[in-house]
Amino acid sequence: MKSFSSGEVAKICDVNPRTVIRWIEAKKLKAFKLPGRGNNRVKHSDLLDFLVQNQIPVPSELIVEQEQSCFIVSVEKQLVKNAQRIARNAGFVTQVYQHGIESGVEIAQHKPSLIMIDSQTSRVDIAALTEVIESKLEYKPHIIVFDEFTDSRLSAEHDAKVFKLAKPIDNYALAMVLDSIVETEQEAYA
């Protein structure tokens, strides 16, 4: 996780470091304090959110450094192996969970930009999950559902934030979906 000092944030925003400290104290910019001296640090994702919210141009080097995380929820080893490989090739950092409850706690804490769920092995009601995510969380991740009972090989729902892929997964279709997600995320910060 990349973090920035008050001085680094000030250079990016073209303001005085004291202004950044005031933003932090006024809770306009999320930050955490280092143990010991108590210097402020701003997480990369929080800085990006702040820049976008305040209509400050986002430097291209921040977009390139953005770390996108992907949670994979499945017990099928081959599906996890393929999904991990394809997600890593698309630039995602992956974490694998075998149970929906465990992943739910982690989703709330880490806010991954992508969640891949095997609907059969994780026993998750996808409609209920997307409803909870949209109503309870401060953000809307992309969701890819692997489903044996999907009629088509690929379908999109909920404003193209939820994708359904038929099982067994088509590696090419998954790669194309991930490419479109990465492209969408980069356009959001451009």
Side-chain angles (χ1 to χ4, degrees), residues 156-188:
E157 300 176 3
H158 299 279
D159 300 325
K161 285 280 195 172
V162 179
F163 298 90
K164 284 189 175 180
L165 287 173
K167 284 173 54 179
I169 64 170
D170 178 348
N171 291 343
Y172 179 74
L174 178 57
M176 296 306 294
V177 169
L178 292 178
D179 287 345
S180 73
I181 290 171
V182 169
E183 196 173 293
T184 302
E185 293 294 314
Q186 287 178 342
E187 287 173 4

Side-chain angles (χ1 to χ4, degrees), residues 104-122:
V105 171
E106 295 296 319
I107 288 168
Q109 289 179 341
H110 298 289
K111 300 180 181 176
S113 54
L114 173 63
I115 304 166
M116 293 187 201
I117 302 171
D118 179 358
S119 65
Q120 271 66 50
T121 58
S122 60

Side-chain angles (χ1 to χ4, degrees), residues 3-21 23-24 29 39-42 47:
S3 64
F4 299 90
S5 69
S6 301
E8 291 170 327
V9 173
K11 286 179 186 173
I12 290 168
C13 296
D14 195 25
V15 297
N16 189 295
R18 185 69 198 138
T19 302
V20 173
I21 292 168
W23 289 339
I24 292 168
L29 176 61
N39 295 346
N40 292 310
R41 290 291 183 268
V42 178
L47 178 58

Side-chain angles (χ1 to χ4, degrees), residues 2 20-21 27 30 40 53 62 86 89 91-92 95 111-112 118 135 137 140 154 177 187 190:
K2 173 87 169 129
V20 173
I21 292 168
K27 306 264 191 255
K30 285 176 72 174
N40 292 310
Q53 285 175 348
L62 286 182
I86 295 167
N89 287 343
F92 288 89
Q95 286 188 274
K111 300 180 181 176
D118 179 358
S135 65
L137 298 180
K140 292 183 173 97
L154 170 65
V177 169
E187 287 173 4

Side-chain angles (χ1 to χ4, degrees), residues 2-126:
K2 173 87 169 129
S3 64
F4 299 90
S5 69
S6 301
E8 291 170 327
V9 173
K11 286 179 186 173
I12 290 168
C13 296
D14 195 25
V15 297
N16 189 295
R18 185 69 198 138
T19 302
V20 173
I21 292 168
R22 280 191 215 109
W23 289 339
I24 292 168
E25 290 170 349
K27 306 264 191 255
K28 292 180 180 178
L29 176 61
K30 285 176 72 174
F32 61 94
K33 291 195 177 286
L34 293 176
R37 292 179 33 191
N39 295 346
N40 292 310
R41 290 291 183 268
V42 178
K43 290 193 308 187
H44 184 268
S45 60
D46 292 334
L47 178 58
L48 282 177
D49 291 342
F50 176 80
L51 294 173
V52 170
Q53 285 175 348
N54 292 285
Q55 299 176 349
I56 299 171
V58 179
S60 60
E61 59 269 12
L62 286 182
I63 295 171
V64 173
E65 291 179 11
Q66 183 180 8
E67 183 179 271
Q68 294 182 316
S69 60
C70 169
F71 284 15
I72 302 170
V73 184
S74 179
V75 293
E76 288 187 31
K77 290 179 182 175
Q78 191 61 42
L79 184 142
V80 168
K81 181 180 169 185
N82 288 341
Q84 254 188 322
R85 178 180 46 80
I86 295 167
R88 287 178 179 159
N89 287 343
F92 288 89
V93 175
T94 61
Q95 286 188 274
V96 177
Y97 299 95
Q98 294 185 348
H99 305 287
I101 294 172
E102 176 189 17
S103 66
V105 171
E106 295 296 319
I107 288 168
Q109 289 179 341
H110 298 289
K111 300 180 181 176
S113 54
L114 173 63
I115 304 166
M116 293 187 201
I117 302 171
D118 179 358
S119 65
Q120 271 66 50
T121 58
S122 60
R123 308 269 190 265
V124 174
D125 179 0
I126 302 308

